[in-house]
Amino acid sequence: MSGSIKDFAALKTMRAQLKAQEEARKAAEAERVRREQECRRDAELFRRSIGDVAPLPNSDKAESRIPRPPPIARQHLADEQAALEESLSDEFNVDTLLDTDHELSYARTGIGPDTLRKLRRGHWVIQGQLDLHGLRREEAREALADFLRNAVKRGMRCVRIIHGKGLGSINKEPVLKSKVRSWLVQKEEVIAFCQARAADGGAGALVVLLKA
């Protein structure tokens, strides 16, 4: 008899558990339906609030894409700058290459005297200039090398280098005047130079002709 009572109690407990599970399932289903209805109501309310919409027309304009700048090869630039500085030696003897006129003009081998005459008369328009006033020797050498490199890249043919007359230097000696001539002779892009005309700086400047 006691065994039957236990089985009945277990059956009753099982029925209660099944009933609870069924109620939980129904409650979850009711909650799901409620959320779906709420979402549909919100969507309908949104469509009513914005009204009818139409897709934007296709544009025939090409998409603008700004190209990214190329990476800067910093080590390459540093090596190039070092090569520029080393290429201009202070030990170079320029005296034997200069004409024996009072202006100490210069023309590279193969350049005829007519080129120097034209340069002295202002045949070529001066397209750029570099003023070395106030610079130390090392600073001036670096500035000159950089200026000539950029002038060639920009396609300049004739430039002016202002080295000064040395009036503000010790013993009133034009230190940069001879140095600039020596540096210019060592640059392959320089084919001729002469003292500037009075209107262009006279003894304090040089007019330099570069390779075309």
Side-chain angles (χ1 to χ4, degrees):
M1 186 72 177
S2 59
S4 299
I5 295 174
K6 288 181 179 179
D7 292 342
F8 180 76
L11 181 60
K12 187 177 180 179
T13 301
M14 184 179 297
R15 286 178 178 176
Q17 291 176 347
L18 292 173
K19 184 178 180 180
Q21 292 176 358
E22 180 65 17
E23 290 178 351
R25 186 189 65 78
K26 289 181 179 180
E29 179 65 17
E31 178 64 18
R32 184 186 65 80
V33 173
R34 186 190 65 80
R35 290 184 179 179
E36 288 182 354
Q37 291 175 346
E38 184 178 351
C39 289
R40 285 196 292 268
R41 286 196 300 269
D42 291 344
E44 183 64 24
L45 179 62
F46 176 74
R47 283 193 293 268
R48 290 178 180 177
S49 64
I50 64 174
D52 296 332
V53 296
L56 293 174
N58 293 329
S59 176
D60 295 331
K61 294 182 178 179
E63 183 179 354
S64 175
R65 293 184 179 179
I66 302 176
R68 306 177 81 180
I72 300 176
R74 299 187 183 279
Q75 185 58 46
H76 174 72
L77 293 178
D79 293 342
E80 188 179 53
Q81 184 63 39
L84 283 172
E85 296 176 7
E86 293 173 0
S87 65
L88 300 179
S89 172
D90 285 336
E91 305 302 324
F92 188 83
N93 184 7
V94 69
D95 294 341
T96 58
L97 300 177
L98 299 178
D99 285 355
T100 55
D101 59 9
H102 69 284
E103 297 177 353
L104 295 179
S105 304
Y106 165 79
R108 189 170 295 279
T109 302
I111 302 299
D114 186 55
T115 298
L116 270 179
R117 284 195 294 269
K118 289 181 177 180
L119 192 61
R120 293 189 187 102
R121 295 171 183 172
H123 176 79
W124 287 277
V125 176
I126 295 176
Q127 298 170 296
Q129 72 173 25
L130 172 66
D131 192 344
L132 300 176
H133 274 115
L135 298 183
R136 299 173 183 175
R137 185 182 64 184
E138 295 299 326
E139 294 173 336
R141 179 169 57 180
E142 181 179 343
L144 179 63
D146 189 58
F147 173 76
L148 292 177
R149 180 185 60 179
N150 290 329
V152 170
K153 285 184 177 180
R154 296 170 60 185
M156 293 183 181
R157 189 73 202 279
C158 184
V159 296
R160 175 172 51 193
I161 308 297
I162 303 174
H163 50 64
K165 299 179 181 180
L167 300 179
S169 61
I170 300 176
N171 299 327
K172 307 298 182 181
E173 295 181 359
V175 178
L176 286 181
K177 184 174 183 177
S178 60
K179 292 297 182 184
V180 168
R181 282 175 163 81
S182 174
W183 295 335
L184 288 174
V185 167
Q186 298 175 63
K187 300 301 293 182
E188 291 185 1
E189 56 266 45
V190 175
I191 62 175
F193 63 76
C194 67
Q195 179 176 299
R197 294 181 299 176
D200 294 326
L206 292 174
V207 177
V208 183
L209 186 64
L210 304 175
K211 285 183 178 180

